[in-house]
Amino acid sequence: MDPSPHPLSQFVLKMHSRCDLACDHCYVFEHADQSWRGRPKVISGEILDLTAQRIAEHARAHRLDTVHVVLHGGEPLLAGRARLRRAAENLQTALSGVCALDLRIHTNGVTLDEKFCDLFAEFDIKVSVSLDGGRAANDLHRRYRDGRSSHDQVLRAIGLLSRPRYLHLFAGLLCTVDLRNDPVAVYDSLAELAPPRIDFLIPHATWDEPPARPVGSMSYGDWLLTVHDRWTATGRPMGVRVLDSVLRTLRGADSLTESLGLAPVELAVIETDGSLEQADSLKTAYDGAPGTGMNVTADSLDAMAAHPGIVARQLGLDGLCDTCRTCEVVQSCGGGLYAHRYRSGSGAGGFMNPSVYCADLKQLITGIRDREARRMPVPQLPLDDAHFSELAAGFGGADAVEALARHELTVNRELLGAVWHNSRHDATGTAAWETLAVLDAEAPESVDAVLAHPYLRPWAQRVLTGDAEAGPLAMRGVAELAAAALLRSGRGGTVTVPTGSGVLRLPTLGALVVGEAGEARVTASGDEGFGVRVSGREHLVGRKAGSDPAWLARHRFELSGWAVALEDTDPWRDAHGYPVRARLSAAAAEDWRSDLAAAWEWIRRELPAYAPGLAAGLSVVTPLREAATGADISSAARDAFGAVAVARPGEPRTLACLLVHEFQHVKLGAVLDLTDLYDPGCERLFYAPWRPDPRPLEGLLQGTYAHIAVVDYWRARWRTAADGAEARAAEVRFARWREQTVAAAGTLAGSGALTALGERFVTAMEETLSARLTDPVSADALAEARRTAADHRVRATP
């Protein structure tokens, strides 16, 4: 057992100690601890200043990556915009260059308006709103003091947060469970509001004051399992913290809530008078239970972290009673919420007991465990463990990427076999297939080289899906592949290829313009050239082709440590979703060669962790048409391993960024071909910080993984900037992409839809991003980065 206390990284900052509602289940006002009565209603500016200083000095001393602060109450909006602004400004200024700040606010929402939302947008303050369900469910507890319902006001607040302008601020809904409410009706009423997350909270209770269990009602475990089943049946459209936490802990990951799991609690509360207290939930145990006798005016957060009450919640199994330590679900349950273990007169201050919800928690955890066992198979690691770890971290050396390439080649072979078996054969196609079979036995390297062509799969998939254009050309495609493999093998032979479109396509080699001829006979003589006879005319192409204008040779460049080709002839290269460039002139191809060489040298020098994998796996760059606006355009097709598409940018360093960014997508697509990193049945949509529209989970995963490289690119640009203006611009972009990518990785980690391998993959991504948090950025750069991100979201909103 480690005797040193864990540093604190989560803080609840009480902005106001009163509330404009009178919820009868509120643990702050209605339970045993009544210390609120003697505290100032609103926190002072001096306490806010000291609090920010204390948090910053603690974060700096312990080299924290991120500090999480929740502005709380009472009702924090009662503190007013000026006081909330001061809190946010103080925290941002104090933590600038120290660590990242995750700033949130929990509110009942009844006074939320556009001015508050504009303030929250300025400081990127995420907002969670309390709502217990539909009107009837909500009105059981959440009323004004005169008995009026708060439901309409809360719905108005949620509607405001759901506007495109503020949607990125909406963190979710907080719902306290009441067994009298139908769980399906409650879930449906909340899900209808499309929150990004729902947090179902069981009411605070102890062994001395046990929870309400109305006669004839279901248990709390049954209630939450019913919600789980409804959530799953509807495709798990948003995160549900308690359910996601159970799923995560069953897979060996950390919980998302202090009420489950064995992870050390790193939470402190700062009251309106500056008092440093333990978690608010302890107010339900006895009067004074959260107190420590410390205050930010006199005590450091190191002292707070060493308080016995904090340390007791950081002991893992050693901090639990015998009943809990021997329980089969202890890794997930963690003994339940600390406050819920309280029984007066028992050991360790009354907390050395199982949770008063012990049976409910066990029922919930085993119920979810058994459902998941029936629902999803146990995944097997399909890559060498070290290779998987390299790729998960965002990189992947040559060996790891070559392993992906071997698997992608296998997939292409299977697709070609499916095309053959599902298409109508003719004599030409049959002869070509037989040539491929012979070459595969006698010169397999030539067949592998052709079948690894990135645009084989888009062609094969369009054939197999009955595409009107591709379907009738199945045998032509087989013959083209056979001809290219024959020519690459250096062996003699002939393959007849139907043409029709006037162009003979030879994948990985080039194309020959043949006019309106119906077929071409490709004859290999075993030397460096080969002949193509079309309508009685002989074309000599290949290295001895000379100046035959009909031959469109592939542009292939042997750079220092990287062989790459420009693809401007293959008709299936349009798989990237953007208009492709027509055949490049010799001068245009030379410009590309020059830029690719310079970009590659920059990558090798400034982004060395990305270079080996890129050299091993990126073999094709497809030129795209430039945008009329001059904007950079690049893309990676999910099913074109080994290729990226790029509109040639204005300078090689930008090309370097586009290459490493898009190759991240290429690598991740291949990993996803190997294994499921997330539940394929997940139909929920998730918001990425850089987009205004919600994305499927794979879209968020792809974007986050790709932006790891973007973060490193701007980090390198910042480090190597030639002057102050360039350094400032790069610092702002680094700050923006780092903060947004860290946030997106957190959304992935909290999605509850990751498989065991997915959990491991995203954890490795988070570790890479955490290492980037040690680079301090100025407060001005961070503020400008956030303004830029907010402006981008507004401009991108439909």
Side-chain angles (χ1 to χ4, degrees), residues 492-574:
T494 299
V495 175
T496 299
V497 184
T499 55
S501 66
V503 176
L504 169 64
R505 167 180 171 261
L506 294 171
T508 74
L509 297 173
L512 182 71
V513 178
V514 297
E516 297 301 319
E519 67 177 29
R521 289 175 58 81
V522 180
T523 301
S525 60
D527 58 14
E528 290 184 325
F530 53 88
V532 179
R533 177 174 289 277
V534 183
S535 299
R537 181 183 176 188
E538 192 79 21
H539 296 269
L540 183 65
V541 297
R543 293 184 183 175
K544 294 182 178 179
S547 59
D548 188 337
W551 175 237
L552 310 178
R554 197 185 203 193
H555 310 286
R556 190 171 188 276
F557 309 131
E558 291 285 349
L559 307 179
S560 179
W562 180 33
V564 61
L566 287 179
E567 182 57 79
D568 59 357
T569 62
D570 193 303
W572 308 110
R573 71 188 187 280
D574 63 353

Side-chain angles (χ1 to χ4, degrees), residues 9-280:
S9 63
Q10 301 169 32
F11 303 93
V12 173
L13 180 55
K14 295 301 189 76
M15 299 299 300
H16 203 282
S17 64
R18 305 296 190 270
C19 188
D20 40 10
L21 294 182
C23 309
D24 59 14
H25 57 6
C26 180
Y27 58 87
V28 175
F29 302 113
E30 303 296 333
H31 284 222
D33 183 88
Q34 292 291 298
S35 56
W36 62 273
R37 297 179 183 277
R39 290 204 166 100
K41 289 184 178 181
V42 65
I43 195 168
S44 69
E46 292 73 20
I47 295 297
L48 286 176
D49 296 346
L50 274 172
T51 296
Q53 293 168 23
R54 292 293 191 193
I55 292 175
E57 71 183 17
H58 189 70
R60 185 180 295 108
H62 297 280
R63 300 179 64 84
L64 298 181
D65 295 328
T66 305
V67 161
H68 308 269
V69 180
V70 178
L71 306 179
H72 211 282
E75 170 48 50
L77 297 187
L78 294 179
R81 283 182 287 277
R83 196 59 51 95
L84 292 171
R85 172 181 290 278
R86 183 164 180 172
E89 286 179 338
N90 284 355
L91 288 165
Q92 283 195 356
T93 301
L95 292 169
S96 177
V98 178
C99 69
L101 170 64
D102 173 26
L103 188 56
R104 297 171 182 263
I105 189 167
H106 289 181
T107 174
N108 60 34
V110 297
T111 60
L112 187 70
D113 59 18
E114 289 191 15
K115 291 183 178 179
F116 275 122
C117 289
D118 289 339
L119 173 66
F120 300 155
E122 180 181 348
F123 292 96
D124 196 31
I125 302 173
K126 302 298 190 292
V127 186
S128 293
V129 179
S130 297
L131 180 67
D132 289 349
R135 182 181 299 276
N138 195 66
D139 286 354
L140 281 179
H141 302 285
R142 305 191 60 78
R143 292 177 174 270
Y144 289 94
R145 297 193 183 280
D146 60 7
R148 287 180 297 124
S149 170
S150 64
H151 191 252
D152 289 342
Q153 288 83 351
V154 180
L155 291 188
R156 179 194 51 76
I158 294 168
L160 184 61
L161 288 169
S162 298
R163 293 181 188 175
R165 181 179 178 184
Y166 302 125
L167 189 57
H168 66 287
L169 302 174
F170 191 13
L173 300 176
L174 306 169
C175 173
T176 301
V177 173
D178 189 311
L179 296 181
R180 294 172 292 176
N181 293 326
D182 176 72
V184 171
V186 169
Y187 171 80
D188 285 350
S189 66
L190 299 179
E192 186 179 359
L193 301 172
R197 181 181 297 281
I198 302 174
D199 200 354
F200 287 104
L201 310 169
I202 53 178
H204 289 312
T206 68
W207 289 102
D208 289 358
E209 296 288 338
R213 297 182 185 273
V215 176
S217 67
M218 60 178 63
S219 67
Y220 287 93
D222 270 334
W223 201 97
L224 290 170
L225 278 175
T226 304
V227 169
H228 169 274
D229 294 344
R230 181 67 168 177
W231 177 59
T232 300
T234 55
R236 299 182 176 178
M238 79 292 292
V240 176
R241 192 183 304 271
V242 63
L243 305 180
D244 288 333
S245 293
V246 173
L247 290 166
R248 285 171 60 87
T249 54
L250 286 172
R251 294 171 183 155
D254 288 342
S255 169
L256 302 173
T257 171
E258 64 170 322
S259 61
L260 292 169
L262 290 169
V265 172
E266 300 172 354
L267 171 72
V269 177
I270 299 96
E271 289 284 356
T272 56
D273 61 356
S275 295
L276 289 167
E277 294 205 336
Q278 302 175 68
D280 265 359

Side-chain angles (χ1 to χ4, degrees), residues 168 178 181 197 210 246 259-260 292 296 298 311 330 403 436 454 511 526 580 593 602 605 636 651 724 756 798:
H168 66 287
D178 189 311
N181 293 326
R197 181 181 297 281
V246 173
S259 61
L260 292 169
T292 65
V296 293
V311 173
V330 67
L436 269 177
V580 297
R593 187 208 63 77
W602 197 90
R605 183 176 65 252
E651 65 158 337

Side-chain angles (χ1 to χ4, degrees), residues 548-690:
D548 188 337
W551 175 237
L552 310 178
R554 197 185 203 193
H555 310 286
R556 190 171 188 276
F557 309 131
E558 291 285 349
L559 307 179
S560 179
W562 180 33
V564 61
L566 287 179
E567 182 57 79
D568 59 357
T569 62
D570 193 303
W572 308 110
R573 71 188 187 280
D574 63 353
H576 297 275
Y578 291 96
V580 297
R581 283 285 304 268
R583 173 69 174 178
L584 298 176
S585 67
E590 176 56 27
D591 289 340
W592 267 101
R593 187 208 63 77
S594 177
D595 282 359
L596 284 167
W600 171 238
E601 287 307 311
W602 197 90
I603 291 168
R604 290 211 302 175
R605 183 176 65 252
E606 306 299 344
L607 297 172
Y610 295 89
L614 187 146
L618 183 57
S619 59
V620 169
V621 174
T622 295
L624 297 174
R625 291 185 204 165
E626 291 78 7
T629 61
D632 295 325
I633 302 175
S634 63
S635 178
R638 174 68 171 78
D639 296 310
F641 179 83
V644 301
V646 179
R648 182 168 162 255
E651 65 158 337
R653 287 184 304 180
T654 302
L655 179 58
C657 180
L658 300 178
L659 291 174
V660 294
H661 174 195
E662 298 302 343
F663 191 60
Q664 293 288 94
H665 290 299
V666 173
K667 290 185 294 185
L668 181 56
V671 171
L672 291 170
D673 282 344
L674 278 165
T675 187
D676 287 329
L677 297 181
Y678 61 91
D679 177 1
C682 177
E683 298 179 356
R684 289 155 49 196
L685 298 178
F686 300 83
Y687 279 92
W690 50 84

Side-chain angles (χ1 to χ4, degrees), residues 405-422:
R406 287 192 294 272
H407 181 263
E408 294 298 293
L409 175 60
T410 300
V411 173
N412 284 358
R413 283 178 166 273
E414 292 172 350
L415 282 170
L416 180 59
V419 167
W420 175 253
H421 290 293
N422 288 277

